Amino acid sequence: MNDKLEILLHLFIIFTAAKIFAEIFTRLKQPIVIGELIAGAVIGAHGLGLIGDTHVNDAIAELGVIILLFMVGLETRMDDMREVGRPAIMVGFFGVMIPMVMGYGLFTLYGFDSIRALFMGTAMVATSIGITARVLGDMGLIKHRTSRIILGAAILDDILGLLVLAMVSSLAKGSFNYVEFSILLAEALLFVVFLTTVGPKLAGKHIHKFVDRLHIGEAPFAIGLIMVLGLSVLAEYIGLAAIIGAFLAGIVLSETSDFLKLEKKFEPVSHFLVPVFFVVMGTKFDILALLTPSTLVLLTLTVIVAVISKMIGSALGTFQLGWRTALQTGVGMVPRGEVGIVVGTIGLSLGVIGQELYGIVLGMSILTTVIAPPLLTLSFRSDTQLSEPAPVKEPV
Amino acid sequence: MNDKLEILLHLFIIFTAAKIFAEIFTRLKQPIVIGELIAGAVIGAHGLGLIGDTHVNDAIAELGVIILLFMVGLETRMDDMREVGRPAIMVGFFGVMIPMVMGYGLFTLYGFDSIRALFMGTAMVATSIGITARVLGDMGLIKHRTSRIILGAAILDDILGLLVLAMVSSLAKGSFNYVEFSILLAEALLFVVFLTTVGPKLAGKHIHKFVDRLHIGEAPFAIGLIMVLGLSVLAEYIGLAAIIGAFLAGIVLSETSDFLKLEKKFEPVSHFLVPVFFVVMGTKFDILALLTPSTLVLLTLTVIVAVISKMIGSALGTFQLGWRTALQTGVGMVPRGEVGIVVGTIGLSLGVIGQELYGIVLGMSILTTVIAPPLLTLSFRSDTQLSEPAPVKEPV
């Protein structure tokens, strides 16, 4: 099979499977994203074996999650975020600390040495904002107050989580470098603070004139794409995740997005690329490798700790806002998704963790991701009944 | 540099360069596509070296040309095509025969053996429909009668060209297999005839009901994407080029595209992916490797033969329609673009041609591609003055 044929065939299978499962899950009134993950597990190397892990699939999936976070950012007004700033910061902080400590505790009790236990704790830290954002978006709740707390906390979470990862990686390499770590911390803070405060104001003031001076067609689309790619690269370059840059690009453009009509313009691109991300995520799940009794027990314990620790962290952060918000926030912070997988991959490549622990990281990431959407749907159910019904079908 | 960073950085550079050169070329009132090709040459491995040849860039570029041909297909109504069927078939036929014979003649005279000469002739056969379609589209002339002759002939051309390639490849391998060749021919004919006759009728009759029965949002977009990927795969699988399948997918859906609003829905996807194709094409051009005197002479002769032979072929096909149509058609058939490059790559991998001839194939493909847009603009100038001005900037 030639290269071009393989690339197109994979995309055809991924997209067709995504849509078949989306149709089934829409009819069952379940989140489409679970359908897409299951589609991936079915067609992937550990299922029917229709598609394998390829470079190109991963690259297109990566573009998908970047576009997804960009669109989430576009819908995030910093003024609204500031309003939920305090609880978001609290949830973000405790949402990192508690899973880290409890994860470390679990794996230490299980007899792993402290470096391994620290790594597993780190893999349990970062929330996968993508899944939650998608579910809340599908339910039409992305602008809900609790959604904004979750999204704000998840961003902080990712930043803190990646700092912890940088630290633990240094430890694992046998050298913790204070200088490097301080530089990463300073850069990350500068990047995030600049883009969430000065960024939107600068964009609001100047983009209007800039677009008017350009002669090319579709200048707003071009500016949006250049921004999202550029800031993703910059975020990745300074040691944060690309998705954080993509989200911040959305925030920078959010105040001008009505004028630029960016949400509408990027919608078809996201309809193409975002399902690819979730299907490719699903293909990486090898359920058979987890089916030895001892691994299964450890995995179950890990998932329980992963869920409970986020719940406790979120409750500590939102206790003044009532049990309902605490519960919704906690559930929203449960999925680890791609960030957990990234930590696992780094641990594997450093030789800190072996195949068994890697399998557990993957299993935990995916199970927390799969259980979160129905729990989210349940916990937000009465809110959707109060607000608009979820837009399931666009009028034609 | 990690993998993810490289992928995003390349896309950022490609897209930013595309837009900077597009802005410059729009201001100079030159076709944007040349700007994008030059952008590629500037940033590519043979220019500033900002990006190299990567698998992922090639894959995204391939998606770009597929989406481009799909959009061209969407604008092609078979009823209009049938009207130009006779001249299109004539132009397609002579546009293959004359370049093949003249190319073979040139390289035989130059002292190459007949297999090499046949291969070089084959590389001069197929028209790169992408470039011409883009230029005519930018000029707002895609529905012009001559445009339809060119597009129809170019499709035939690709099909005939790929059949010739299959034949010459068999010869080069030392075995010409009549059975294999007859099967390819039969499959290709069946594929094209079915999709251009029965396909649009079936789609027109059933897609309406099918879309109504689906529960997922954006069903038309999903159907369009599944069709274009599926038919591209099928075309590639039976030995035709993927872009032919993509074009035919567009034709099948063209009669329902007003109802499905497919052109509008795929526009942002094409704004993202199509420039990537042309920039990546530009990166493959190594001007320095061609700068030895003897290679330069042979390249010049090859380009002259490539241009003149297509002009003669088109004139033979359209002589009843007047010199003006003959000239426009001839110019429209000049660019060889990616199809020539594909033939060159196959020749190289079979060991039939070496680096020097490969360089000439690349040079000829790109030079014919670069000279065609200004010639097209010139030859169609009075037509654009009669019709609408080209839409340079969308109102915001």
Side-chain angles (χ1 to χ4, degrees), chain B residues 41-160:
Chain B
V42 169
I43 64 174
H46 310 299
L48 299 175
L50 297 179
I51 68 163
D53 262 6
T54 74
H55 220 64
V56 171
N57 294 346
D58 287 345
I60 295 173
E62 174 68 20
L63 284 178
V65 70
I66 279 173
I67 295 294
L68 174 66
L69 269 284
F70 176 60
M71 306 264 309
V72 173
L74 281 180
E75 298 194 33
T76 309
R77 298 288 192 277
M78 273 320 288
D79 293 340
D80 302 344
M81 287 292 282
R82 243 165 249 128
E83 198 188 297
V84 297
R86 211 186 124 80
I89 290 172
M90 301 282 281
V91 172
F93 178 75
F94 287 115
V96 167
M97 291 311 292
I98 310 290
M100 181 84 204
V101 171
M102 284 182 71
Y104 177 78
L106 171 68
F107 285 87
T108 307
L109 286 177
Y110 233 79
F112 289 96
D113 61 34
S114 60
I115 282 288
R116 277 184 184 72
L118 268 177
F119 230 97
M120 294 306 286
T122 307
M124 294 163 76
V125 156
T127 304
S128 167
I129 193 177
I131 305 279
T132 298
R134 171 74 182 267
V135 174
L136 293 171
D138 284 349
M139 293 174 77
L141 286 171
I142 204 81
K143 287 172 191 248
H144 190 283
R145 181 182 157 82
T146 310
S147 303
R148 282 182 282 126
I149 295 178
I150 295 171
L151 294 179
I155 298 158
L156 250 171
D157 226 52
D158 272 350
I159 296 168
L160 291 176

Side-chain angles (χ1 to χ4, degrees), chain A residues 2-4 23 27 55 62 211 213-218 225 236 265 268 271-272 392-394, chain B residues 2-4 23 27 55 62 211 213-218 225 236 265 268 271-272 392-394:
Chain A
N2 74 43
D3 218 48
K4 200 190 282 185
E23 179 70 20
R27 289 183 188 218
H55 221 62
E62 174 69 18
V211 167
R213 282 173 55 191
L214 288 176
H215 290 221
I216 46 169
E218 287 302 331
L225 197 56
E236 190 79 23
K265 280 171 184 150
H271 287 317
F272 177 19
V392 172
K393 179 147 187 165
E394 203 205 43
Chain B
N2 74 43
D3 218 50
K4 200 191 279 183
E23 178 71 20
R27 290 182 186 219
H55 220 64
E62 174 68 20
V211 167
R213 280 174 53 191
L214 288 177
H215 290 222
I216 47 168
E218 289 300 332
L225 197 56
E236 190 78 22
K265 279 173 182 150
H271 287 316
F272 176 19
V392 172
K393 178 148 188 165
E394 203 205 42

Side-chain angles (χ1 to χ4, degrees), chain B residues 98-100 102-104 106-107 110 120-121 123-125 285 287 290 294-312 330-331 333-337 340 356-373 375:
Chain B
I98 310 290
M100 181 84 204
M102 284 182 71
Y104 177 78
L106 171 68
F107 285 87
Y110 233 79
M120 294 306 286
M124 294 163 76
V125 156
F285 192 35
I287 200 153
L290 294 173
S294 66
T295 311
L296 221 50
V297 171
L298 183 52
L299 174 62
T300 310
L301 289 173
T302 308
V303 171
I304 291 171
V305 169
V307 172
I308 290 178
S309 62
K310 277 288 181 185
M311 294 287 205
I312 297 175
V331 171
M333 304 291 282
V334 161
R336 300 309 198 281
E356 190 207 19
L357 287 183
Y358 181 63
I360 287 181
V361 170
L362 282 189
M364 180 273 296
S365 295
I366 288 171
L367 287 174
T368 52
T369 301
V370 170
I371 59 175
L375 292 178

